[in-house]
Amino acid sequence: PKGPLSSVRAWHGASSSTSYGYFAAGIPGNGVSTVDRLDFASDSSTATQKGNLSLAKRWTTSVGNNSYSYVSGGHNGSSALSSIDRIDFADDTSTASPKGTLSVSKQWPFATGNQSYGYVAGGESPSVSIMNRIDYSSDTGTTPTKGPLTIARYAGAATGNASYGYFGGGVVPSPKSTIDRIDYSSDTPTAAAKGPLSLARRSLSATGTTDYGYWGGGTPGPVSTVDRLDYSSDTTTAVAKGSLSNATGWL
């Protein structure tokens, strides 16, 4: 156990640079605008409160590169959102800047990307397979539609490397084990079905290296399983590894 965050919350988005991790939005209530920064060099103290989002929201996702984090989509207690806020890691004390919009409003989307683009996929409002691409070099307009996923779903998790993004799990109407792969060099056709995960689940979390992707936790259950997908051989079922120290759902 590390941290903790500056306040108890759930259903928020996270991304990082090589030095810091940023946790934004979430519940309780109809959403919060809080942004917490965790210092990887000293991760045992309480995370430091930084900036704020431009509005309070929950059920969002985050993606970014070494300079910025983009907090996308979500819900404000009355409707799904298309808004995107950008956190500048070099100046993280001011309110995050509203940037662009998703092409549709959606809550519980999931996202990954490389150093140039972020891909925000899926979501509920109602359930969609739409994938939006955020261009970090030109982030003020409506994000173009790419992909889509092979099935409409939300509350999944994504990770990837510099060449590919992998979107796993999710729900609509039941939990899924599907893993879809998007090729960043050719991001307009339907994402290719890969994997799948070793069990169907939603509300899980993911991370990875340049060679492997890991999906952990989720519901129904909750579960403690961690699945590993080998990017060099991504058509077989993801291998159960780990597990987490506790069964954990709604990540």
Side-chain angles (χ1 to χ4, degrees), residues 1 8-9 40 45 48 99 109 114 139 146 149 187 192:
V8 175
R9 54 196 158 120
F40 295 153
S45 58
T48 305
K99 294 288 179 177
N114 56 20
D139 55 14
K146 300 290 181 175
L149 299 176
D187 57 14

Side-chain angles (χ1 to χ4, degrees), residues 68-158:
Y68 303 103
S69 174
Y70 293 80
V71 184
S72 305
H75 199 278
N76 63 4
S78 58
S79 61
L81 302 170
S82 63
S83 62
I84 300 172
D85 277 1
R86 189 185 76 181
I87 301 169
D88 184 344
F89 296 154
D91 180 22
D92 58 12
T93 56
S94 57
T95 301
S97 305
K99 294 288 179 177
T101 56
L102 303 176
S103 62
V104 294
S105 297
K106 46 187 175 179
Q107 58 188 333
W108 282 320
F110 41 125
T112 189
N114 56 20
Q115 288 297 303
S116 300
Y117 302 101
Y119 293 80
V120 182
E124 183 188 31
S125 182
S127 300
V128 296
S129 62
I130 290 171
M131 187 179 303
N132 289 137
R133 189 184 75 183
I134 303 171
D135 184 343
Y136 301 149
S137 66
S138 176
D139 55 14
T140 55
T142 301
T143 55
T145 301
K146 300 290 181 175
L149 299 176
T150 58
I151 54 172
R153 52 192 158 128
Y154 60 95

Side-chain angles (χ1 to χ4, degrees), residues 10-12 24-32 56-61 72-78 81 106-108:
W11 291 337
H12 51 283
I27 60 170
N30 293 328
V32 297
K57 53 184 177 178
R58 61 188 182 185
W59 303 337
T60 186
T61 192
S72 305
H75 199 278
N76 63 4
S78 58
L81 302 170
K106 46 187 175 179
Q107 58 188 333
W108 282 320

